[in-house]
């Protein structure tokens, strides 16, 4: 009996260790992704750059007469951790289908939970969604609500209202282009004006726009063909019109928060949405392709200092009898429609 052929897209931990056994291999791989083999300065892009002997990852810009590291201008900037640790974190981040918590990442890397949490948000910053995306063709739209449910609340803390009017709910709105990309973001509310401001900049003229029968979708552009699926009448598909694709994404988003992260901060919720959208858009990639794709995005120049991440002066939210910015609750309490 013949042996099964190895999957070129599969990237096991053993294969990862063979590809990046030490710091020098990681530096060489990052040089290729950032500069294509030609050393370049992050200051003005000039190529009059040399390596500093005896200090791997350090370079000298001869034109500007300054020294820089290979981490400058990337999500690694300012980090004292070696690239080998960062590459292992990226590997764990890419091969985990439902994400990885900071506690689990800390155990696998041998760092503190606070360090792993900071690394996770830096990696999420690297795969942040493009806000200027324009979709063409058939587009599905739907909203989702993140927060607690009345079922698990005490009688005095119940809201007894619809989910769209709940003050403790965070609202997510998403657009899915069939056979294309998905875009999702955290919005202030689910009113027609708020959703329309997102829709009008993301869908090209002449596209088909599929939604459920929620009244806020009645305000649409004259240049879009709007078709409605009557969910209140137990109709889930009418011809080509349906929203099953975007609702499938919400299901995966719920499972990730409920099963992996347990609870999320309203302030950082957009990064968790960006992470899941990136996993959804690259779902047909194998572990190796997704890892290489992540490294190729490092050239975008995105950085995330710690003070910009925590924003200690950010406003706190107040709802019910609690103060704070965290969407609290038990596992079954965290995200529901």
């Amino acid at each position: 009996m013949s042996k099964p052929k190895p999957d070129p897209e599969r990237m096991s931990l053993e294969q990862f260790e063979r590809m990046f056994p030490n710091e020098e291999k990681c530096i060489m791989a990052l040089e290729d992704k950032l500069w294509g083999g030609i050393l370049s300065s992050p200051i003005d892009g000039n190529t009059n750059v040399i390596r500093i002997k005896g200090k791997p990852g350090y370079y000298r810009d001869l034109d500007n007469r300054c020294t820089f590291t290979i981490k400058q201008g990337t999500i690694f900037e300012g980090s004292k951790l070696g690239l080998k640790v960062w590459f292992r974190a990226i590997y764990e981040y890419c091969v985990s289908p439902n994400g990885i918590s900071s506690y689990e990442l800390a155990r696998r890397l041998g760092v503190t939970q606070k360090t792993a949490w900071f690394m996770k948000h830096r990696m999420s910053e690297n795969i942040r969604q493009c806000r200027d995306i324009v979709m063409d063709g058939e587009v599905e739209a739907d909203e989702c609500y993140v927060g607690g449910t009345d079922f698990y609340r005490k009688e005095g803390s119940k809201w007894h209202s619809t989910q769209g009017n709940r003050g403790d709910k965070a609202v997510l709105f998403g657009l899915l282009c069939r056979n294309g990309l998905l875009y999702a973001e955290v919005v202030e509310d689910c009113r027609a004006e708020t959703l329309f401001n997102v829709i009008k900049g993301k869908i090209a003229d002449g596209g088909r726009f599929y939604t459920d029968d929620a009244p806020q979708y009645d305000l649409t552009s004259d240049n879009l063909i709007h078709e409605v699926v009557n969910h209140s009448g137990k109709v889930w598909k009418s011809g080509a019109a349906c929203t099953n694709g975007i609702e499938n994404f919400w299901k995966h988003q719920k499972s990730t928060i409920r099963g992996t992260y347990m609870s999320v901060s309203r302030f950082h919720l957009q990064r968790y949405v960006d992470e899941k959208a990136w996993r959804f858009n690259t779902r047909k990639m194998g572990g190796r392709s997704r890892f290489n794709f992540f490294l190729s995005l490092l050239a975008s120049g995105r950085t995330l200092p710690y003070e910009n991440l925590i924003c200690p002066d950010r406003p706190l939210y107040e709802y019910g009898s609690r103060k704070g910015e965290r969407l609290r609750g038990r596992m079954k309490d965290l995200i529901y429609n």
Side-chain angles (χ1 to χ4, degrees):
M1 183 177 180
S2 60
K3 294 182 179 180
K5 296 182 179 179
D7 186 1
E9 287 295 317
R10 185 173 180 269
M11 191 177 189
S12 64
L13 181 58
E14 181 181 359
Q15 292 172 330
F16 168 80
E17 292 293 343
R18 287 201 303 265
M19 293 173 61
F20 306 104
N22 49 46
E23 190 77 5
E24 287 72 20
K25 287 289 186 180
C26 297
I27 292 174
M28 292 173 58
L30 189 55
E31 282 184 4
D32 182 65
K33 293 296 182 180
L34 293 179
W35 305 319
I38 301 176
L39 301 184
S40 176
S41 172
I43 299 175
D44 53 10
N46 75 82
T47 57
N48 192 13
V49 176
I50 61 173
R51 296 182 178 89
I52 297 180
K53 188 176 181 180
K55 299 183 69 175
Y58 284 78
Y59 307 87
R60 180 72 178 175
D61 184 349
L62 300 180
D63 288 348
N64 297 299
R65 297 183 179 181
C66 63
T67 303
F68 65 93
T69 69
I70 196 172
K71 297 178 181 179
Q72 188 166 333
T74 68
I75 59 172
F76 312 136
E77 184 173 340
S79 175
K80 296 181 180 179
L81 297 175
L83 283 180
K84 177 66 184 304
V85 180
W86 271 106
F87 273 45
R88 173 66 189 276
I90 295 172
Y91 165 78
E92 299 290 351
Y93 190 85
C94 292
V95 300
S96 302
N98 289 317
I100 182 171
S101 69
S102 60
Y103 284 91
E104 181 63 25
L105 186 61
R107 284 190 289 267
R108 298 186 184 184
L109 299 181
V111 298
T112 64
Q113 184 271 334
K114 182 179 179 180
T115 299
W117 179 81
F118 187 23
M119 296 173 72
K120 256 190 58 62
H121 281 288
R122 282 185 167 189
M123 290 186 287
S124 297
E125 181 72 13
N126 188 58
I127 47 91
R128 188 180 65 217
Q129 297 179 87
C130 177
R131 300 294 187 262
D132 299 328
I133 185 174
V134 178
M135 300 181 178
D136 194 9
E138 298 178 305
V139 180
E140 302 176 15
D142 194 26
E143 76 281 355
C144 179
Y145 302 91
V146 181
T149 59
D150 275 346
F151 182 81
Y152 293 101
R153 297 180 184 271
K154 295 181 180 179
E155 187 61 32
S157 301
K158 292 182 182 294
W159 284 75
H160 299 294
S161 63
T162 59
Q163 55 193 11
N165 298 325
R166 292 269 296 274
D168 64 337
K169 289 277 191 176
V171 185
L172 309 182
F173 179 67
L175 298 169
L176 174 63
C177 181
R178 292 184 180 175
N179 301 321
L181 297 178
L182 173 136
Y183 175 82
E185 71 172 72
V186 181
V187 294
E188 295 180 1
D189 50 60
C190 60
R191 290 181 293 188
E193 294 80 5
T194 304
L195 301 185
F196 179 66
N197 289 334
V198 180
I199 293 172
K200 68 178 182 180
K202 299 292 186 299
I203 304 179
D205 293 343
R208 290 187 173 273
F209 180 52
Y210 303 139
T211 67
D212 55 23
D213 54 342
Q216 59 262 33
Y217 294 115
D218 293 339
L219 181 62
T220 57
S221 173
D222 295 335
N223 298 325
L224 299 178
I225 303 174
H226 184 200
E227 298 186 24
V228 177
V229 184
N230 186 15
H231 283 183
S232 59
K234 305 299 181 181
V235 178
W236 315 117
K237 183 177 174 62
S238 177
C242 72
T243 59
N244 295 338
I246 185 66
E247 289 175 358
N248 172 53
F249 172 74
W250 295 139
K251 173 61 177 177
H252 286 282
Q253 180 76 72
K254 297 174 188 179
S255 300
T256 297
I257 295 181
R258 185 168 58 238
T260 302
Y261 300 118
M262 308 301 177
S263 65
V264 298
S265 167
R266 183 192 295 255
F267 181 76
H268 297 297
L269 181 59
Q270 183 61 57
R271 285 195 178 88
Y272 291 95
V273 175
D274 287 341
E275 175 189 347
K276 196 60 187 179
W278 181 73
R279 295 184 190 280
F280 186 87
N281 289 329
T282 59
R283 62 192 180 275
K284 295 184 179 180
M285 291 185 181
R288 190 184 300 270
S289 295
R290 183 179 283 179
F291 181 85
N292 291 329
F293 181 48
F294 186 98
L295 293 183
S296 66
L297 296 176
L298 294 172
S300 62
R302 293 175 179 174
T303 60
L304 183 63
Y306 188 71
E307 57 270 17
N308 294 350
L309 173 63
I310 59 174
C311 291
D313 57 342
R314 68 179 184 264
L316 297 179
Y317 301 90
E318 182 177 357
Y319 54 89
S321 59
R322 299 182 180 181
K323 281 187 177 181
E325 91 299 338
R326 185 168 294 278
L327 306 173
R328 300 184 181 275
R330 292 176 291 181
M331 285 182 62
K332 297 180 180 179
D333 191 10
L334 292 172
I335 179 165
Y336 278 88
N337 274 335

PDB file of all heavy atoms in Angstrom, residues 245-268:
ATOM      1  N   GLY A 245     -24.909  33.142   4.479  1.00  0.00           N
ATOM      2  CA  GLY A 245     -23.451  33.237   4.495  1.00  0.00           C
ATOM      3  C   GLY A 245     -22.934  34.118   5.617  1.00  0.00           C
ATOM      4  O   GLY A 245     -22.045  33.728   6.372  1.00  0.00           O
ATOM      5  N   ILE A 246     -23.508  35.329   5.749  1.00  0.00           N
ATOM      6  CA  ILE A 246     -23.059  36.232   6.801  1.00  0.00           C
ATOM      7  C   ILE A 246     -23.464  35.707   8.168  1.00  0.00           C
ATOM      8  O   ILE A 246     -22.738  35.881   9.157  1.00  0.00           O
ATOM      9  CB  ILE A 246     -23.606  37.652   6.547  1.00  0.00           C
ATOM     10  CG1 ILE A 246     -23.041  38.639   7.569  1.00  0.00           C
ATOM     11  CG2 ILE A 246     -25.121  37.664   6.564  1.00  0.00           C
ATOM     12  CD1 ILE A 246     -21.563  38.855   7.470  1.00  0.00           C
ATOM     13  N   GLU A 247     -24.604  35.029   8.273  1.00  0.00           N
ATOM     14  CA  GLU A 247     -25.007  34.439   9.551  1.00  0.00           C
ATOM     15  C   GLU A 247     -24.094  33.276   9.931  1.00  0.00           C
ATOM     16  O   GLU A 247     -23.888  33.008  11.122  1.00  0.00           O
ATOM     17  CB  GLU A 247     -26.464  33.990   9.485  1.00  0.00           C
ATOM     18  CG  GLU A 247     -27.447  35.166   9.452  1.00  0.00           C
ATOM     19  CD  GLU A 247     -28.871  34.725   9.277  1.00  0.00           C
ATOM     20  OE1 GLU A 247     -29.092  33.501   9.133  1.00  0.00           O
ATOM     21  OE2 GLU A 247     -29.767  35.583   9.282  1.00  0.00           O
ATOM     22  N   ASN A 248     -23.548  32.603   8.939  1.00  0.00           N
ATOM     23  CA  ASN A 248     -22.560  31.568   9.213  1.00  0.00           C
ATOM     24  C   ASN A 248     -21.324  32.172   9.877  1.00  0.00           C
ATOM     25  O   ASN A 248     -20.758  31.592  10.812  1.00  0.00           O
ATOM     26  CB  ASN A 248     -22.177  30.866   7.911  1.00  0.00           C
ATOM     27  CG  ASN A 248     -21.009  29.910   8.089  1.00  0.00           C
ATOM     28  OD1 ASN A 248     -21.021  29.041   8.947  1.00  0.00           O
ATOM     29  ND2 ASN A 248     -19.977  30.080   7.273  1.00  0.00           N
ATOM     30  N   PHE A 249     -20.910  33.354   9.409  1.00  0.00           N
ATOM     31  CA  PHE A 249     -19.775  34.026  10.046  1.00  0.00           C
ATOM     32  C   PHE A 249     -20.097  34.416  11.475  1.00  0.00           C
ATOM     33  O   PHE A 249     -19.256  34.269  12.368  1.00  0.00           O
ATOM     34  CB  PHE A 249     -19.380  35.258   9.245  1.00  0.00           C
ATOM     35  CG  PHE A 249     -18.359  36.112   9.936  1.00  0.00           C
ATOM     36  CD1 PHE A 249     -17.039  35.706  10.022  1.00  0.00           C
ATOM     37  CD2 PHE A 249     -18.724  37.320  10.518  1.00  0.00           C
ATOM     38  CE1 PHE A 249     -16.088  36.490  10.681  1.00  0.00           C
ATOM     39  CE2 PHE A 249     -17.784  38.106  11.169  1.00  0.00           C
ATOM     40  CZ  PHE A 249     -16.463  37.688  11.254  1.00  0.00           C
ATOM     41  N   TRP A 250     -21.302  34.926  11.714  1.00  0.00           N
ATOM     42  CA  TRP A 250     -21.661  35.285  13.102  1.00  0.00           C
ATOM     43  C   TRP A 250     -21.627  34.063  14.010  1.00  0.00           C
ATOM     44  O   TRP A 250     -21.254  34.165  15.181  1.00  0.00           O
ATOM     45  CB  TRP A 250     -23.047  35.923  13.136  1.00  0.00           C
ATOM     46  CG  TRP A 250     -23.197  37.236  12.442  1.00  0.00           C
ATOM     47  CD1 TRP A 250     -24.250  37.632  11.667  1.00  0.00           C
ATOM     48  CD2 TRP A 250     -22.295  38.357  12.471  1.00  0.00           C
ATOM     49  NE1 TRP A 250     -24.057  38.908  11.199  1.00  0.00           N
ATOM     50  CE2 TRP A 250     -22.862  39.379  11.675  1.00  0.00           C
ATOM     51  CE3 TRP A 250     -21.067  38.583  13.071  1.00  0.00           C
ATOM     52  CZ2 TRP A 250     -22.245  40.613  11.485  1.00  0.00           C
ATOM     53  CZ3 TRP A 250     -20.436  39.805  12.878  1.00  0.00           C
ATOM     54  CH2 TRP A 250     -21.021  40.799  12.096  1.00  0.00           C
ATOM     55  N   LYS A 251     -22.022  32.928  13.491  1.00  0.00           N
ATOM     56  CA  LYS A 251     -21.972  31.699  14.289  1.00  0.00           C
ATOM     57  C   LYS A 251     -20.537  31.389  14.695  1.00  0.00           C
ATOM     58  O   LYS A 251     -20.262  31.033  15.852  1.00  0.00           O
ATOM     59  CB  LYS A 251     -22.567  30.541  13.480  1.00  0.00           C
ATOM     60  CG  LYS A 251     -22.419  29.171  14.141  1.00  0.00           C
ATOM     61  CD  LYS A 251     -23.122  29.111  15.477  1.00  0.00           C
ATOM     62  CE  LYS A 251     -23.010  27.720  16.077  1.00  0.00           C
ATOM     63  NZ  LYS A 251     -23.622  27.640  17.429  1.00  0.00           N
ATOM     64  N   HIS A 252     -19.598  31.512  13.755  1.00  0.00           N
ATOM     65  CA  HIS A 252     -18.194  31.265  14.081  1.00  0.00           C
ATOM     66  C   HIS A 252     -17.659  32.325  15.042  1.00  0.00           C
ATOM     67  O   HIS A 252     -16.857  32.021  15.924  1.00  0.00           O
ATOM     68  CB  HIS A 252     -17.360  31.245  12.797  1.00  0.00           C
ATOM     69  CG  HIS A 252     -17.549  30.007  11.974  1.00  0.00           C
ATOM     70  ND1 HIS A 252     -16.943  28.819  12.297  1.00  0.00           N
ATOM     71  CD2 HIS A 252     -18.276  29.760  10.856  1.00  0.00           C
ATOM     72  CE1 HIS A 252     -17.264  27.892  11.410  1.00  0.00           C
ATOM     73  NE2 HIS A 252     -18.083  28.442  10.527  1.00  0.00           N
ATOM     74  N   GLN A 253     -18.093  33.576  14.877  1.00  0.00           N
ATOM     75  CA  GLN A 253     -17.665  34.631  15.783  1.00  0.00           C
ATOM     76  C   GLN A 253     -18.142  34.351  17.205  1.00  0.00           C
ATOM     77  O   GLN A 253     -17.391  34.520  18.172  1.00  0.00           O
ATOM     78  CB  GLN A 253     -18.220  35.969  15.288  1.00  0.00           C
ATOM     79  CG  GLN A 253     -17.858  37.165  16.152  1.00  0.00           C
ATOM     80  CD  GLN A 253     -16.427  37.625  15.957  1.00  0.00           C
ATOM     81  OE1 GLN A 253     -16.098  38.190  14.917  1.00  0.00           O
ATOM     82  NE2 GLN A 253     -15.588  37.412  16.933  1.00  0.00           N
ATOM     83  N   LYS A 254     -19.383  33.916  17.334  1.00  0.00           N
ATOM     84  CA  LYS A 254     -19.928  33.578  18.650  1.00  0.00           C
ATOM     85  C   LYS A 254     -19.147  32.429  19.286  1.00  0.00           C
ATOM     86  O   LYS A 254     -18.793  32.484  20.467  1.00  0.00           O
ATOM     87  CB  LYS A 254     -21.399  33.168  18.524  1.00  0.00           C
ATOM     88  CG  LYS A 254     -22.323  34.238  18.027  1.00  0.00           C
ATOM     89  CD  LYS A 254     -23.704  33.634  17.825  1.00  0.00           C
ATOM     90  CE  LYS A 254     -24.641  34.596  17.134  1.00  0.00           C
ATOM     91  NZ  LYS A 254     -25.973  33.994  16.931  1.00  0.00           N
ATOM     92  N   SER A 255     -18.896  31.390  18.502  1.00  0.00           N
ATOM     93  CA  SER A 255     -18.206  30.217  19.039  1.00  0.00           C
ATOM     94  C   SER A 255     -16.798  30.580  19.505  1.00  0.00           C
ATOM     95  O   SER A 255     -16.313  30.038  20.510  1.00  0.00           O
ATOM     96  CB  SER A 255     -18.141  29.116  17.976  1.00  0.00           C
ATOM     97  OG  SER A 255     -19.439  28.729  17.586  1.00  0.00           O
ATOM     98  N   THR A 256     -16.124  31.481  18.790  1.00  0.00           N
ATOM     99  CA  THR A 256     -14.766  31.865  19.172  1.00  0.00           C
ATOM    100  C   THR A 256     -14.765  32.629  20.487  1.00  0.00           C
ATOM    101  O   THR A 256     -13.966  32.349  21.387  1.00  0.00           O
ATOM    102  CB  THR A 256     -14.132  32.722  18.065  1.00  0.00           C
ATOM    103  OG1 THR A 256     -14.030  31.933  16.871  1.00  0.00           O
ATOM    104  CG2 THR A 256     -12.747  33.184  18.465  1.00  0.00           C
ATOM    105  N   ILE A 257     -15.659  33.601  20.628  1.00  0.00           N
ATOM    106  CA  ILE A 257     -15.698  34.376  21.866  1.00  0.00           C
ATOM    107  C   ILE A 257     -16.162  33.513  23.030  1.00  0.00           C
ATOM    108  O   ILE A 257     -15.589  33.540  24.120  1.00  0.00           O
ATOM    109  CB  ILE A 257     -16.608  35.605  21.691  1.00  0.00           C
ATOM    110  CG1 ILE A 257     -16.006  36.560  20.664  1.00  0.00           C
ATOM    111  CG2 ILE A 257     -16.814  36.314  23.019  1.00  0.00           C
ATOM    112  CD1 ILE A 257     -16.806  37.818  20.439  1.00  0.00           C
ATOM    113  N   ARG A 258     -17.185  32.717  22.797  1.00  0.00           N
ATOM    114  CA  ARG A 258     -17.741  31.908  23.879  1.00  0.00           C
ATOM    115  C   ARG A 258     -16.798  30.782  24.274  1.00  0.00           C
ATOM    116  O   ARG A 258     -16.662  30.456  25.457  1.00  0.00           O
ATOM    117  CB  ARG A 258     -19.096  31.341  23.442  1.00  0.00           C
ATOM    118  CG  ARG A 258     -19.821  30.581  24.526  1.00  0.00           C
ATOM    119  CD  ARG A 258     -21.266  30.314  24.133  1.00  0.00           C
ATOM    120  NE  ARG A 258     -21.352  29.561  22.899  1.00  0.00           N
ATOM    121  CZ  ARG A 258     -21.993  29.988  21.811  1.00  0.00           C
ATOM    122  NH1 ARG A 258     -22.559  31.177  21.806  1.00  0.00           N
ATOM    123  NH2 ARG A 258     -22.051  29.252  20.725  1.00  0.00           N
ATOM    124  N   GLY A 259     -16.106  30.187  23.309  1.00  0.00           N
ATOM    125  CA  GLY A 259     -15.309  29.008  23.608  1.00  0.00           C
ATOM    126  C   GLY A 259     -13.833  29.273  23.834  1.00  0.00           C
ATOM    127  O   GLY A 259     -13.189  28.534  24.568  1.00  0.00           O
ATOM    128  N   THR A 260     -13.285  30.344  23.223  1.00  0.00           N
ATOM    129  CA  THR A 260     -11.850  30.605  23.330  1.00  0.00           C
ATOM    130  C   THR A 260     -11.538  31.744  24.288  1.00  0.00           C
ATOM    131  O   THR A 260     -10.681  31.619  25.160  1.00  0.00           O
ATOM    132  CB  THR A 260     -11.256  30.925  21.945  1.00  0.00           C
ATOM    133  OG1 THR A 260     -11.507  29.828  21.058  1.00  0.00           O
ATOM    134  CG2 THR A 260      -9.756  31.159  22.042  1.00  0.00           C
ATOM    135  N   TYR A 261     -12.243  32.862  24.132  1.00  0.00           N
ATOM    136  CA  TYR A 261     -11.895  34.056  24.901  1.00  0.00           C
ATOM    137  C   TYR A 261     -12.771  34.250  26.142  1.00  0.00           C
ATOM    138  O   TYR A 261     -12.456  35.079  26.986  1.00  0.00           O
ATOM    139  CB  TYR A 261     -11.974  35.293  24.008  1.00  0.00           C
ATOM    140  CG  TYR A 261     -11.030  35.210  22.841  1.00  0.00           C
ATOM    141  CD1 TYR A 261     -11.489  35.211  21.530  1.00  0.00           C
ATOM    142  CD2 TYR A 261      -9.660  35.089  23.036  1.00  0.00           C
ATOM    143  CE1 TYR A 261     -10.624  35.126  20.451  1.00  0.00           C
ATOM    144  CE2 TYR A 261      -8.781  34.999  21.972  1.00  0.00           C
ATOM    145  CZ  TYR A 261      -9.275  35.021  20.689  1.00  0.00           C
ATOM    146  OH  TYR A 261      -8.404  34.915  19.636  1.00  0.00           O
ATOM    147  N   MET A 262     -13.883  33.531  26.223  1.00  0.00           N
ATOM    148  CA  MET A 262     -14.789  33.585  27.369  1.00  0.00           C
ATOM    149  C   MET A 262     -15.467  34.950  27.526  1.00  0.00           C
ATOM    150  O   MET A 262     -16.679  35.040  27.594  1.00  0.00           O
ATOM    151  CB  MET A 262     -14.065  33.220  28.678  1.00  0.00           C
ATOM    152  CG  MET A 262     -13.312  31.910  28.614  1.00  0.00           C
ATOM    153  SD  MET A 262     -14.437  30.544  28.209  1.00  0.00           S
ATOM    154  CE  MET A 262     -13.291  29.199  28.100  1.00  0.00           C
ATOM    155  N   SER A 263     -14.697  36.007  27.653  1.00  0.00           N
ATOM    156  CA  SER A 263     -15.259  37.358  27.721  1.00  0.00           C
ATOM    157  C   SER A 263     -14.301  38.309  27.022  1.00  0.00           C
ATOM    158  O   SER A 263     -13.100  38.083  26.996  1.00  0.00           O
ATOM    159  CB  SER A 263     -15.473  37.794  29.174  1.00  0.00           C
ATOM    160  OG  SER A 263     -14.237  37.910  29.845  1.00  0.00           O
ATOM    161  N   VAL A 264     -14.852  39.356  26.444  1.00  0.00           N
ATOM    162  CA  VAL A 264     -14.037  40.312  25.699  1.00  0.00           C
ATOM    163  C   VAL A 264     -14.384  41.715  26.161  1.00  0.00           C
ATOM    164  O   VAL A 264     -15.476  41.982  26.667  1.00  0.00           O
ATOM    165  CB  VAL A 264     -14.257  40.198  24.173  1.00  0.00           C
ATOM    166  CG1 VAL A 264     -13.861  38.830  23.671  1.00  0.00           C
ATOM    167  CG2 VAL A 264     -15.697  40.503  23.806  1.00  0.00           C
ATOM    168  N   SER A 265     -13.461  42.627  25.980  1.00  0.00           N
ATOM    169  CA  SER A 265     -13.668  44.029  26.314  1.00  0.00           C
ATOM    170  C   SER A 265     -14.354  44.729  25.149  1.00  0.00           C
ATOM    171  O   SER A 265     -14.010  44.507  23.985  1.00  0.00           O
ATOM    172  CB  SER A 265     -12.321  44.693  26.620  1.00  0.00           C
ATOM    173  OG  SER A 265     -12.463  46.094  26.648  1.00  0.00           O
ATOM    174  N   ARG A 266     -15.308  45.551  25.463  1.00  0.00           N
ATOM    175  CA  ARG A 266     -15.967  46.326  24.418  1.00  0.00           C
ATOM    176  C   ARG A 266     -14.967  47.236  23.701  1.00  0.00           C
ATOM    177  O   ARG A 266     -15.045  47.451  22.500  1.00  0.00           O
ATOM    178  CB  ARG A 266     -17.097  47.162  25.037  1.00  0.00           C
ATOM    179  CG  ARG A 266     -17.919  47.963  24.039  1.00  0.00           C
ATOM    180  CD  ARG A 266     -18.796  48.956  24.766  1.00  0.00           C
ATOM    181  NE  ARG A 266     -19.788  48.307  25.579  1.00  0.00           N
ATOM    182  CZ  ARG A 266     -21.088  48.224  25.278  1.00  0.00           C
ATOM    183  NH1 ARG A 266     -21.527  48.758  24.153  1.00  0.00           N
ATOM    184  NH2 ARG A 266     -21.924  47.631  26.067  1.00  0.00           N
ATOM    185  N   PHE A 267     -13.997  47.747  24.442  1.00  0.00           N
ATOM    186  CA  PHE A 267     -13.010  48.657  23.871  1.00  0.00           C
ATOM    187  C   PHE A 267     -12.135  47.955  22.840  1.00  0.00           C
ATOM    188  O   PHE A 267     -11.761  48.544  21.830  1.00  0.00           O
ATOM    189  CB  PHE A 267     -12.149  49.245  24.993  1.00  0.00           C
ATOM    190  CG  PHE A 267     -11.108  50.212  24.525  1.00  0.00           C
ATOM    191  CD1 PHE A 267     -11.458  51.497  24.146  1.00  0.00           C
ATOM    192  CD2 PHE A 267      -9.777  49.838  24.450  1.00  0.00           C
ATOM    193  CE1 PHE A 267     -10.501  52.395  23.707  1.00  0.00           C
ATOM    194  CE2 PHE A 267      -8.813  50.730  24.014  1.00  0.00           C
ATOM    195  CZ  PHE A 267      -9.179  52.013  23.647  1.00  0.00           C
ATOM    196  N   HIS A 268     -11.803  46.688  23.067  1.00  0.00           N
ATOM    197  CA  HIS A 268     -10.933  45.932  22.162  1.00  0.00           C
ATOM    198  C   HIS A 268     -11.709  45.015  21.217  1.00  0.00           C
ATOM    199  O   HIS A 268     -11.094  44.219  20.506  1.00  0.00           O
ATOM    200  CB  HIS A 268      -9.953  45.082  22.966  1.00  0.00           C
ATOM    201  CG  HIS A 268      -9.009  45.861  23.809  1.00  0.00           C
ATOM    202  ND1 HIS A 268      -8.086  46.739  23.284  1.00  0.00           N
ATOM    203  CD2 HIS A 268      -8.842  45.914  25.158  1.00  0.00           C
ATOM    204  CE1 HIS A 268      -7.379  47.296  24.257  1.00  0.00           C
ATOM    205  NE2 HIS A 268      -7.820  46.817  25.405  1.00  0.00           N
TER     206      HIS A 268
END
